[in-house]
Amino acid sequence: MKQEIGKKRIIIALDGPAASGKSTTARRVAERLGYTYIDTGAMYRSVTLKALQQGVLDLLRHSPENVSGLLHPLAIHFEGDHVFLDGRDVTAEIRENRVSREVSFISSLKPVRDRLRQMQQELGRQHGVVMDGRDIGTVVFPDAELKIFLVADARERAKRRHAELLATSRDGIGLPSLDALEEEIRSRDRDDAEREHAPLKKHADAHEIDTTNLTIDRQVDMVCNLALEREQVDG
Ligand code: DC
């Protein structure tokens, strides 16, 4: 079902913890509505990859004020499902575990958040976007017409991440166990919720959807129905 002429194109902010189904839901909602999908986690992952490539993580842990070398220049752009960092396709690399382990630290740094928030606000300026992340409804677009907060049981989220890793691994060898993934997810939840700047938190206006026992199709239907209502109300 594509966008009908005459309706308002809105901003849909989709927040929630790691592996709660945000990106799959956001991508499909965007497809159905004819909107643009923006994965802000991929932007934080890209900056983290850059820090790993420059070998500056230890330096930043001790002297976070040196972060500006990572941010200027910084070019992140999306082409379909692909993410480009400073002109190079990093779609696969940013999903590697070495990036997942460090991304909470990088995303806790205020200059990183300030820079990416600006880029995200620019990307959403035209409306007609579904943006997923941790602080989209609270900080990046507090006026978004539709705010969704997805949650799911940590074990279920670990199972989803495990299935994702299996699907993209050549032989399954060396993959983290389910227990290890659950622990990593819980630890990332804690870091994301307890950090000082833009912590993961549900906006008072957000619709909370628990995806533990929902199919992706059902989640997509729920969000699209809410979006269609908002397009009418705000149109
Ligand atoms: O959605 P994800 O797992 O790819 O996100 C990776 C990390 O990026 C996540 O642990 C927290 C951070 N993040 C953030 O701080 N703010 C956002 N808007 C999106 C992601």
Side-chain angles (χ1 to χ4, degrees), residues 18 22 39-42 44-45 95 103-104 107 113 132-136 161 188 192 195:
K22 296 185 303 292
D39 174 358
T40 66
Y44 286 94
R45 286 173 178 274
R95 301 285 152 203
V103 65
S104 279
S107 57
R113 301 210 71 84
D132 82 2
R134 302 294 189 286
D135 60 341
I136 310 305
R161 214 11 72 90
R188 205 131 65 86
D192 293 346
R195 69 175 173 227

mmCIF file with all atom_site columns, all heavy atoms in Angstrom, residues 18 22 39-42 44-45 95 103-104 107 113 132-136 161 188 192 195, ligand 1:
data_model
loop_
_atom_site.group_PDB
_atom_site.id
_atom_site.type_symbol
_atom_site.label_atom_id
_atom_site.label_alt_id
_atom_site.label_comp_id
_atom_site.label_asym_id
_atom_site.label_entity_id
_atom_site.label_seq_id
_atom_site.pdbx_PDB_ins_code
_atom_site.Cartn_x
_atom_site.Cartn_y
_atom_site.Cartn_z
_atom_site.occupancy
_atom_site.B_iso_or_equiv
_atom_site.pdbx_formal_charge
_atom_site.auth_seq_id
_atom_site.auth_comp_id
_atom_site.auth_asym_id
_atom_site.auth_atom_id
_atom_site.pdbx_PDB_model_num
ATOM   1   N N   . ALA A 1 18  ? 18.187 -3.211  22.046 1.00 0.00 ? 18  ALA A N   1
ATOM   2   C CA  . ALA A 1 18  ? 18.821 -4.037  21.015 1.00 0.00 ? 18  ALA A CA  1
ATOM   3   C C   . ALA A 1 18  ? 17.964 -5.251  20.675 1.00 0.00 ? 18  ALA A C   1
ATOM   4   O O   . ALA A 1 18  ? 17.415 -5.906  21.572 1.00 0.00 ? 18  ALA A O   1
ATOM   5   C CB  . ALA A 1 18  ? 20.192 -4.501  21.517 1.00 0.00 ? 18  ALA A CB  1
ATOM   6   N N   . LYS A 1 22  ? 13.287 -3.572  15.847 1.00 0.00 ? 22  LYS A N   1
ATOM   7   C CA  . LYS A 1 22  ? 13.131 -2.226  15.282 1.00 0.00 ? 22  LYS A CA  1
ATOM   8   C C   . LYS A 1 22  ? 13.453 -2.164  13.798 1.00 0.00 ? 22  LYS A C   1
ATOM   9   O O   . LYS A 1 22  ? 12.665 -1.653  13.018 1.00 0.00 ? 22  LYS A O   1
ATOM   10  C CB  . LYS A 1 22  ? 14.057 -1.225  15.985 1.00 0.00 ? 22  LYS A CB  1
ATOM   11  C CG  . LYS A 1 22  ? 13.780 -0.998  17.435 1.00 0.00 ? 22  LYS A CG  1
ATOM   12  C CD  . LYS A 1 22  ? 14.679 0.096   17.993 1.00 0.00 ? 22  LYS A CD  1
ATOM   13  C CE  . LYS A 1 22  ? 16.161 -0.164  17.811 1.00 0.00 ? 22  LYS A CE  1
ATOM   14  N NZ  . LYS A 1 22  ? 16.686 -1.286  18.608 1.00 0.00 ? 22  LYS A NZ  1
ATOM   15  N N   . ASP A 1 39  ? 18.382 4.022   9.565  1.00 0.00 ? 39  ASP A N   1
ATOM   16  C CA  . ASP A 1 39  ? 18.836 3.175   10.674 1.00 0.00 ? 39  ASP A CA  1
ATOM   17  C C   . ASP A 1 39  ? 19.919 3.951   11.441 1.00 0.00 ? 39  ASP A C   1
ATOM   18  O O   . ASP A 1 39  ? 21.074 3.974   11.027 1.00 0.00 ? 39  ASP A O   1
ATOM   19  C CB  . ASP A 1 39  ? 19.403 1.889   10.048 1.00 0.00 ? 39  ASP A CB  1
ATOM   20  C CG  . ASP A 1 39  ? 20.057 0.966   11.053 1.00 0.00 ? 39  ASP A CG  1
ATOM   21  O OD1 . ASP A 1 39  ? 20.117 1.308   12.241 1.00 0.00 ? 39  ASP A OD1 1
ATOM   22  O OD2 . ASP A 1 39  ? 20.517 -0.106  10.623 1.00 0.00 ? 39  ASP A OD2 1
ATOM   23  N N   . THR A 1 40  ? 19.543 4.590   12.554 1.00 0.00 ? 40  THR A N   1
ATOM   24  C CA  . THR A 1 40  ? 20.536 5.425   13.246 1.00 0.00 ? 40  THR A CA  1
ATOM   25  C C   . THR A 1 40  ? 21.564 4.579   14.001 1.00 0.00 ? 40  THR A C   1
ATOM   26  O O   . THR A 1 40  ? 22.677 5.034   14.252 1.00 0.00 ? 40  THR A O   1
ATOM   27  C CB  . THR A 1 40  ? 19.882 6.439   14.215 1.00 0.00 ? 40  THR A CB  1
ATOM   28  O OG1 . THR A 1 40  ? 19.248 5.732   15.269 1.00 0.00 ? 40  THR A OG1 1
ATOM   29  C CG2 . THR A 1 40  ? 18.884 7.322   13.496 1.00 0.00 ? 40  THR A CG2 1
ATOM   30  N N   . GLY A 1 41  ? 21.193 3.333   14.357 1.00 0.00 ? 41  GLY A N   1
ATOM   31  C CA  . GLY A 1 41  ? 22.170 2.429   14.986 1.00 0.00 ? 41  GLY A CA  1
ATOM   32  C C   . GLY A 1 41  ? 23.345 2.214   14.037 1.00 0.00 ? 41  GLY A C   1
ATOM   33  O O   . GLY A 1 41  ? 24.504 2.150   14.458 1.00 0.00 ? 41  GLY A O   1
ATOM   34  N N   . ALA A 1 42  ? 23.049 2.126   12.733 1.00 0.00 ? 42  ALA A N   1
ATOM   35  C CA  . ALA A 1 42  ? 24.111 1.931   11.736 1.00 0.00 ? 42  ALA A CA  1
ATOM   36  C C   . ALA A 1 42  ? 25.063 3.123   11.727 1.00 0.00 ? 42  ALA A C   1
ATOM   37  O O   . ALA A 1 42  ? 26.255 2.981   11.446 1.00 0.00 ? 42  ALA A O   1
ATOM   38  C CB  . ALA A 1 42  ? 23.496 1.728   10.351 1.00 0.00 ? 42  ALA A CB  1
ATOM   39  N N   . TYR A 1 44  ? 25.817 5.028   14.476 1.00 0.00 ? 44  TYR A N   1
ATOM   40  C CA  . TYR A 1 44  ? 26.700 4.868   15.646 1.00 0.00 ? 44  TYR A CA  1
ATOM   41  C C   . TYR A 1 44  ? 27.697 3.737   15.424 1.00 0.00 ? 44  TYR A C   1
ATOM   42  O O   . TYR A 1 44  ? 28.863 3.817   15.827 1.00 0.00 ? 44  TYR A O   1
ATOM   43  C CB  . TYR A 1 44  ? 25.867 4.634   16.919 1.00 0.00 ? 44  TYR A CB  1
ATOM   44  C CG  . TYR A 1 44  ? 25.205 5.907   17.380 1.00 0.00 ? 44  TYR A CG  1
ATOM   45  C CD1 . TYR A 1 44  ? 23.897 6.214   16.994 1.00 0.00 ? 44  TYR A CD1 1
ATOM   46  C CD2 . TYR A 1 44  ? 25.899 6.842   18.135 1.00 0.00 ? 44  TYR A CD2 1
ATOM   47  C CE1 . TYR A 1 44  ? 23.302 7.415   17.369 1.00 0.00 ? 44  TYR A CE1 1
ATOM   48  C CE2 . TYR A 1 44  ? 25.312 8.041   18.516 1.00 0.00 ? 44  TYR A CE2 1
ATOM   49  C CZ  . TYR A 1 44  ? 24.014 8.318   18.122 1.00 0.00 ? 44  TYR A CZ  1
ATOM   50  O OH  . TYR A 1 44  ? 23.450 9.505   18.490 1.00 0.00 ? 44  TYR A OH  1
ATOM   51  N N   . ARG A 1 45  ? 27.254 2.678   14.738 1.00 0.00 ? 45  ARG A N   1
ATOM   52  C CA  . ARG A 1 45  ? 28.165 1.569   14.441 1.00 0.00 ? 45  ARG A CA  1
ATOM   53  C C   . ARG A 1 45  ? 29.271 2.026   13.486 1.00 0.00 ? 45  ARG A C   1
ATOM   54  O O   . ARG A 1 45  ? 30.431 1.609   13.605 1.00 0.00 ? 45  ARG A O   1
ATOM   55  C CB  . ARG A 1 45  ? 27.382 0.398   13.818 1.00 0.00 ? 45  ARG A CB  1
ATOM   56  C CG  . ARG A 1 45  ? 26.528 -0.359  14.826 1.00 0.00 ? 45  ARG A CG  1
ATOM   57  C CD  . ARG A 1 45  ? 25.635 -1.389  14.150 1.00 0.00 ? 45  ARG A CD  1
ATOM   58  N NE  . ARG A 1 45  ? 24.866 -2.122  15.130 1.00 0.00 ? 45  ARG A NE  1
ATOM   59  C CZ  . ARG A 1 45  ? 25.315 -3.211  15.759 1.00 0.00 ? 45  ARG A CZ  1
ATOM   60  N NH1 . ARG A 1 45  ? 26.491 -3.705  15.464 1.00 0.00 ? 45  ARG A NH1 1
ATOM   61  N NH2 . ARG A 1 45  ? 24.573 -3.804  16.667 1.00 0.00 ? 45  ARG A NH2 1
ATOM   62  N N   . ARG A 1 95  ? 28.281 -4.815  11.440 1.00 0.00 ? 95  ARG A N   1
ATOM   63  C CA  . ARG A 1 95  ? 27.519 -5.821  12.210 1.00 0.00 ? 95  ARG A CA  1
ATOM   64  C C   . ARG A 1 95  ? 28.446 -6.776  12.945 1.00 0.00 ? 95  ARG A C   1
ATOM   65  O O   . ARG A 1 95  ? 27.983 -7.639  13.679 1.00 0.00 ? 95  ARG A O   1
ATOM   66  C CB  . ARG A 1 95  ? 26.613 -6.660  11.289 1.00 0.00 ? 95  ARG A CB  1
ATOM   67  C CG  . ARG A 1 95  ? 25.616 -5.860  10.507 1.00 0.00 ? 95  ARG A CG  1
ATOM   68  C CD  . ARG A 1 95  ? 24.449 -5.371  11.352 1.00 0.00 ? 95  ARG A CD  1
ATOM   69  N NE  . ARG A 1 95  ? 23.944 -4.144  10.781 1.00 0.00 ? 95  ARG A NE  1
ATOM   70  C CZ  . ARG A 1 95  ? 23.242 -3.219  11.444 1.00 0.00 ? 95  ARG A CZ  1
ATOM   71  N NH1 . ARG A 1 95  ? 22.963 -3.385  12.726 1.00 0.00 ? 95  ARG A NH1 1
ATOM   72  N NH2 . ARG A 1 95  ? 22.830 -2.141  10.856 1.00 0.00 ? 95  ARG A NH2 1
ATOM   73  N N   . VAL A 1 103 ? 30.172 -0.304  20.638 1.00 0.00 ? 103 VAL A N   1
ATOM   74  C CA  . VAL A 1 103 ? 29.294 0.777   20.170 1.00 0.00 ? 103 VAL A CA  1
ATOM   75  C C   . VAL A 1 103 ? 28.630 1.539   21.327 1.00 0.00 ? 103 VAL A C   1
ATOM   76  O O   . VAL A 1 103 ? 28.403 2.754   21.221 1.00 0.00 ? 103 VAL A O   1
ATOM   77  C CB  . VAL A 1 103 ? 28.269 0.247   19.130 1.00 0.00 ? 103 VAL A CB  1
ATOM   78  C CG1 . VAL A 1 103 ? 27.314 -0.744  19.729 1.00 0.00 ? 103 VAL A CG1 1
ATOM   79  C CG2 . VAL A 1 103 ? 27.518 1.378   18.455 1.00 0.00 ? 103 VAL A CG2 1
ATOM   80  N N   . SER A 1 104 ? 28.375 0.867   22.445 1.00 0.00 ? 104 SER A N   1
ATOM   81  C CA  . SER A 1 104 ? 27.752 1.595   23.567 1.00 0.00 ? 104 SER A CA  1
ATOM   82  C C   . SER A 1 104 ? 28.692 2.680   24.094 1.00 0.00 ? 104 SER A C   1
ATOM   83  O O   . SER A 1 104 ? 28.250 3.769   24.456 1.00 0.00 ? 104 SER A O   1
ATOM   84  C CB  . SER A 1 104 ? 27.377 0.654   24.711 1.00 0.00 ? 104 SER A CB  1
ATOM   85  O OG  . SER A 1 104 ? 26.161 0.037   24.414 1.00 0.00 ? 104 SER A OG  1
ATOM   86  N N   . SER A 1 107 ? 28.755 5.541   21.606 1.00 0.00 ? 107 SER A N   1
ATOM   87  C CA  . SER A 1 107 ? 27.494 6.294   21.576 1.00 0.00 ? 107 SER A CA  1
ATOM   88  C C   . SER A 1 107 ? 27.213 7.006   22.898 1.00 0.00 ? 107 SER A C   1
ATOM   89  O O   . SER A 1 107 ? 26.237 7.741   23.007 1.00 0.00 ? 107 SER A O   1
ATOM   90  C CB  . SER A 1 107 ? 26.327 5.405   21.144 1.00 0.00 ? 107 SER A CB  1
ATOM   91  O OG  . SER A 1 107 ? 26.220 4.307   21.976 1.00 0.00 ? 107 SER A OG  1
ATOM   92  N N   . ARG A 1 113 ? 27.148 12.132  19.796 1.00 0.00 ? 113 ARG A N   1
ATOM   93  C CA  . ARG A 1 113 ? 25.672 12.240  19.751 1.00 0.00 ? 113 ARG A CA  1
ATOM   94  C C   . ARG A 1 113 ? 25.253 13.566  19.100 1.00 0.00 ? 113 ARG A C   1
ATOM   95  O O   . ARG A 1 113 ? 24.313 13.598  18.319 1.00 0.00 ? 113 ARG A O   1
ATOM   96  C CB  . ARG A 1 113 ? 25.062 12.141  21.159 1.00 0.00 ? 113 ARG A CB  1
ATOM   97  C CG  . ARG A 1 113 ? 25.378 10.851  21.895 1.00 0.00 ? 113 ARG A CG  1
ATOM   98  C CD  . ARG A 1 113 ? 24.275 10.463  22.865 1.00 0.00 ? 113 ARG A CD  1
ATOM   99  N NE  . ARG A 1 113 ? 23.097 10.025  22.147 1.00 0.00 ? 113 ARG A NE  1
ATOM   100 C CZ  . ARG A 1 113 ? 22.918 8.790   21.686 1.00 0.00 ? 113 ARG A CZ  1
ATOM   101 N NH1 . ARG A 1 113 ? 23.824 7.863   21.885 1.00 0.00 ? 113 ARG A NH1 1
ATOM   102 N NH2 . ARG A 1 113 ? 21.823 8.485   21.028 1.00 0.00 ? 113 ARG A NH2 1
ATOM   103 N N   . ASP A 1 132 ? 14.803 4.604   13.116 1.00 0.00 ? 132 ASP A N   1
ATOM   104 C CA  . ASP A 1 132 ? 14.850 3.776   14.326 1.00 0.00 ? 132 ASP A CA  1
ATOM   105 C C   . ASP A 1 132 ? 16.131 4.023   15.115 1.00 0.00 ? 132 ASP A C   1
ATOM   106 O O   . ASP A 1 132 ? 17.149 4.432   14.554 1.00 0.00 ? 132 ASP A O   1
ATOM   107 C CB  . ASP A 1 132 ? 14.605 2.295   14.011 1.00 0.00 ? 132 ASP A CB  1
ATOM   108 C CG  . ASP A 1 132 ? 15.826 1.551   13.520 1.00 0.00 ? 132 ASP A CG  1
ATOM   109 O OD1 . ASP A 1 132 ? 16.897 2.152   13.439 1.00 0.00 ? 132 ASP A OD1 1
ATOM   110 O OD2 . ASP A 1 132 ? 15.703 0.355   13.224 1.00 0.00 ? 132 ASP A OD2 1
ATOM   111 N N   . GLY A 1 133 ? 16.034 3.842   16.442 1.00 0.00 ? 133 GLY A N   1
ATOM   112 C CA  . GLY A 1 133 ? 17.195 4.091   17.297 1.00 0.00 ? 133 GLY A CA  1
ATOM   113 C C   . GLY A 1 133 ? 16.850 3.941   18.765 1.00 0.00 ? 133 GLY A C   1
ATOM   114 O O   . GLY A 1 133 ? 16.072 3.064   19.157 1.00 0.00 ? 133 GLY A O   1
ATOM   115 N N   . ARG A 1 134 ? 17.459 4.812   19.581 1.00 0.00 ? 134 ARG A N   1
ATOM   116 C CA  . ARG A 1 134 ? 17.215 4.761   21.029 1.00 0.00 ? 134 ARG A CA  1
ATOM   117 C C   . ARG A 1 134 ? 16.587 6.060   21.541 1.00 0.00 ? 134 ARG A C   1
ATOM   118 O O   . ARG A 1 134 ? 15.924 6.077   22.562 1.00 0.00 ? 134 ARG A O   1
ATOM   119 C CB  . ARG A 1 134 ? 18.544 4.559   21.787 1.00 0.00 ? 134 ARG A CB  1
ATOM   120 C CG  . ARG A 1 134 ? 19.319 3.322   21.417 1.00 0.00 ? 134 ARG A CG  1
ATOM   121 C CD  . ARG A 1 134 ? 18.573 2.071   21.814 1.00 0.00 ? 134 ARG A CD  1
ATOM   122 N NE  . ARG A 1 134 ? 19.375 0.865   21.670 1.00 0.00 ? 134 ARG A NE  1
ATOM   123 C CZ  . ARG A 1 134 ? 19.702 0.282   20.519 1.00 0.00 ? 134 ARG A CZ  1
ATOM   124 N NH1 . ARG A 1 134 ? 19.301 0.811   19.377 1.00 0.00 ? 134 ARG A NH1 1
ATOM   125 N NH2 . ARG A 1 134 ? 20.433 -0.823  20.494 1.00 0.00 ? 134 ARG A NH2 1
ATOM   126 N N   . ASP A 1 135 ? 16.876 7.159   20.827 1.00 0.00 ? 135 ASP A N   1
ATOM   127 C CA  . ASP A 1 135 ? 16.489 8.484   21.326 1.00 0.00 ? 135 ASP A CA  1
ATOM   128 C C   . ASP A 1 135 ? 15.771 9.294   20.259 1.00 0.00 ? 135 ASP A C   1
ATOM   129 O O   . ASP A 1 135 ? 15.780 10.512  20.295 1.00 0.00 ? 135 ASP A O   1
ATOM   130 C CB  . ASP A 1 135 ? 17.759 9.250   21.750 1.00 0.00 ? 135 ASP A CB  1
ATOM   131 C CG  . ASP A 1 135 ? 18.728 9.444   20.586 1.00 0.00 ? 135 ASP A CG  1
ATOM   132 O OD1 . ASP A 1 135 ? 18.616 8.707   19.580 1.00 0.00 ? 135 ASP A OD1 1
ATOM   133 O OD2 . ASP A 1 135 ? 19.578 10.342  20.658 1.00 0.00 ? 135 ASP A OD2 1
ATOM   134 N N   . ILE A 1 136 ? 15.170 8.623   19.285 1.00 0.00 ? 136 ILE A N   1
ATOM   135 C CA  . ILE A 1 136 ? 14.569 9.371   18.172 1.00 0.00 ? 136 ILE A CA  1
ATOM   136 C C   . ILE A 1 136 ? 13.336 10.135  18.666 1.00 0.00 ? 136 ILE A C   1
ATOM   137 O O   . ILE A 1 136 ? 13.184 11.327  18.395 1.00 0.00 ? 136 ILE A O   1
ATOM   138 C CB  . ILE A 1 136 ? 14.220 8.439   16.980 1.00 0.00 ? 136 ILE A CB  1
ATOM   139 C CG1 . ILE A 1 136 ? 15.419 7.555   16.623 1.00 0.00 ? 136 ILE A CG1 1
ATOM   140 C CG2 . ILE A 1 136 ? 13.754 9.270   15.774 1.00 0.00 ? 136 ILE A CG2 1
ATOM   141 C CD1 . ILE A 1 136 ? 16.704 8.280   16.338 1.00 0.00 ? 136 ILE A CD1 1
ATOM   142 N N   . ARG A 1 161 ? 18.922 -12.537 17.554 1.00 0.00 ? 161 ARG A N   1
ATOM   143 C CA  . ARG A 1 161 ? 20.280 -12.150 17.121 1.00 0.00 ? 161 ARG A CA  1
ATOM   144 C C   . ARG A 1 161 ? 21.056 -13.386 16.663 1.00 0.00 ? 161 ARG A C   1
ATOM   145 O O   . ARG A 1 161 ? 21.778 -13.360 15.673 1.00 0.00 ? 161 ARG A O   1
ATOM   146 C CB  . ARG A 1 161 ? 20.962 -11.530 18.322 1.00 0.00 ? 161 ARG A CB  1
ATOM   147 C CG  . ARG A 1 161 ? 21.957 -10.420 18.292 1.00 0.00 ? 161 ARG A CG  1
ATOM   148 C CD  . ARG A 1 161 ? 22.324 -9.568  17.185 1.00 0.00 ? 161 ARG A CD  1
ATOM   149 N NE  . ARG A 1 161 ? 21.468 -8.538  16.653 1.00 0.00 ? 161 ARG A NE  1
ATOM   150 C CZ  . ARG A 1 161 ? 21.411 -7.269  17.029 1.00 0.00 ? 161 ARG A CZ  1
ATOM   151 N NH1 . ARG A 1 161 ? 22.156 -6.831  17.980 1.00 0.00 ? 161 ARG A NH1 1
ATOM   152 N NH2 . ARG A 1 161 ? 20.612 -6.431  16.415 1.00 0.00 ? 161 ARG A NH2 1
ATOM   153 N N   . ARG A 1 188 ? 24.212 -4.316  27.135 1.00 0.00 ? 188 ARG A N   1
ATOM   154 C CA  . ARG A 1 188 ? 24.013 -3.160  26.256 1.00 0.00 ? 188 ARG A CA  1
ATOM   155 C C   . ARG A 1 188 ? 22.755 -2.386  26.683 1.00 0.00 ? 188 ARG A C   1
ATOM   156 O O   . ARG A 1 188 ? 22.729 -1.162  26.669 1.00 0.00 ? 188 ARG A O   1
ATOM   157 C CB  . ARG A 1 188 ? 23.910 -3.631  24.808 1.00 0.00 ? 188 ARG A CB  1
ATOM   158 C CG  . ARG A 1 188 ? 24.281 -2.589  23.815 1.00 0.00 ? 188 ARG A CG  1
ATOM   159 C CD  . ARG A 1 188 ? 25.263 -3.093  22.770 1.00 0.00 ? 188 ARG A CD  1
ATOM   160 N NE  . ARG A 1 188 ? 24.687 -4.129  21.931 1.00 0.00 ? 188 ARG A NE  1
ATOM   161 C CZ  . ARG A 1 188 ? 23.965 -3.884  20.843 1.00 0.00 ? 188 ARG A CZ  1
ATOM   162 N NH1 . ARG A 1 188 ? 23.672 -2.643  20.502 1.00 0.00 ? 188 ARG A NH1 1
ATOM   163 N NH2 . ARG A 1 188 ? 23.551 -4.868  20.095 1.00 0.00 ? 188 ARG A NH2 1
ATOM   164 N N   . ASP A 1 192 ? 22.892 1.477   27.569 1.00 0.00 ? 192 ASP A N   1
ATOM   165 C CA  . ASP A 1 192 ? 22.082 2.420   26.785 1.00 0.00 ? 192 ASP A CA  1
ATOM   166 C C   . ASP A 1 192 ? 21.092 3.177   27.676 1.00 0.00 ? 192 ASP A C   1
ATOM   167 O O   . ASP A 1 192 ? 20.801 4.350   27.443 1.00 0.00 ? 192 ASP A O   1
ATOM   168 C CB  . ASP A 1 192 ? 21.311 1.696   25.666 1.00 0.00 ? 192 ASP A CB  1
ATOM   169 C CG  . ASP A 1 192 ? 22.238 1.132   24.582 1.00 0.00 ? 192 ASP A CG  1
ATOM   170 O OD1 . ASP A 1 192 ? 23.419 1.525   24.552 1.00 0.00 ? 192 ASP A OD1 1
ATOM   171 O OD2 . ASP A 1 192 ? 21.777 0.294   23.783 1.00 0.00 ? 192 ASP A OD2 1
ATOM   172 N N   . ARG A 1 195 ? 23.222 5.633   30.434 1.00 0.00 ? 195 ARG A N   1
ATOM   173 C CA  . ARG A 1 195 ? 24.202 6.656   30.043 1.00 0.00 ? 195 ARG A CA  1
ATOM   174 C C   . ARG A 1 195 ? 23.632 8.060   30.309 1.00 0.00 ? 195 ARG A C   1
ATOM   175 O O   . ARG A 1 195 ? 22.418 8.263   30.364 1.00 0.00 ? 195 ARG A O   1
ATOM   176 C CB  . ARG A 1 195 ? 24.615 6.491   28.585 1.00 0.00 ? 195 ARG A CB  1
ATOM   177 C CG  . ARG A 1 195 ? 23.513 6.828   27.639 1.00 0.00 ? 195 ARG A CG  1
ATOM   178 C CD  . ARG A 1 195 ? 23.986 6.765   26.201 1.00 0.00 ? 195 ARG A CD  1
ATOM   179 N NE  . ARG A 1 195 ? 22.831 6.930   25.353 1.00 0.00 ? 195 ARG A NE  1
ATOM   180 C CZ  . ARG A 1 195 ? 22.546 6.178   24.305 1.00 0.00 ? 195 ARG A CZ  1
ATOM   181 N NH1 . ARG A 1 195 ? 23.334 5.187   23.969 1.00 0.00 ? 195 ARG A NH1 1
ATOM   182 N NH2 . ARG A 1 195 ? 21.468 6.415   23.600 1.00 0.00 ? 195 ARG A NH2 1
HETATM 183 O O1  . DC  B 2 .   ? 20.215 -0.588  16.880 1.00 0.00 ? 1   DC  B O1  1
HETATM 184 P P1  . DC  B 2 .   ? 21.664 -1.107  17.005 1.00 0.00 ? 1   DC  B P1  1
HETATM 185 O O2  . DC  B 2 .   ? 21.816 -2.304  17.889 1.00 0.00 ? 1   DC  B O2  1
HETATM 186 O O3  . DC  B 2 .   ? 22.319 -1.294  15.678 1.00 0.00 ? 1   DC  B O3  1
HETATM 187 O O4  . DC  B 2 .   ? 22.421 0.110   17.727 1.00 0.00 ? 1   DC  B O4  1
HETATM 188 C C1  . DC  B 2 .   ? 23.786 0.034   18.047 1.00 0.00 ? 1   DC  B C1  1
HETATM 189 C C2  . DC  B 2 .   ? 24.116 0.894   19.253 1.00 0.00 ? 1   DC  B C2  1
HETATM 190 O O5  . DC  B 2 .   ? 24.037 2.270   18.891 1.00 0.00 ? 1   DC  B O5  1
HETATM 191 C C3  . DC  B 2 .   ? 23.236 0.735   20.485 1.00 0.00 ? 1   DC  B C3  1
HETATM 192 O O6  . DC  B 2 .   ? 23.817 -0.133  21.424 1.00 0.00 ? 1   DC  B O6  1
HETATM 193 C C4  . DC  B 2 .   ? 23.131 2.107   21.060 1.00 0.00 ? 1   DC  B C4  1
HETATM 194 C C5  . DC  B 2 .   ? 23.537 3.032   19.965 1.00 0.00 ? 1   DC  B C5  1
HETATM 195 N N1  . DC  B 2 .   ? 22.452 3.871   19.478 1.00 0.00 ? 1   DC  B N1  1
HETATM 196 C C6  . DC  B 2 .   ? 22.193 5.037   20.158 1.00 0.00 ? 1   DC  B C6  1
HETATM 197 O O7  . DC  B 2 .   ? 22.829 5.298   21.176 1.00 0.00 ? 1   DC  B O7  1
HETATM 198 N N2  . DC  B 2 .   ? 21.253 5.902   19.707 1.00 0.00 ? 1   DC  B N2  1
HETATM 199 C C7  . DC  B 2 .   ? 20.551 5.621   18.596 1.00 0.00 ? 1   DC  B C7  1
HETATM 200 N N3  . DC  B 2 .   ? 19.631 6.496   18.152 1.00 0.00 ? 1   DC  B N3  1
HETATM 201 C C8  . DC  B 2 .   ? 20.781 4.417   17.890 1.00 0.00 ? 1   DC  B C8  1
HETATM 202 C C9  . DC  B 2 .   ? 21.743 3.551   18.368 1.00 0.00 ? 1   DC  B C9  1
#
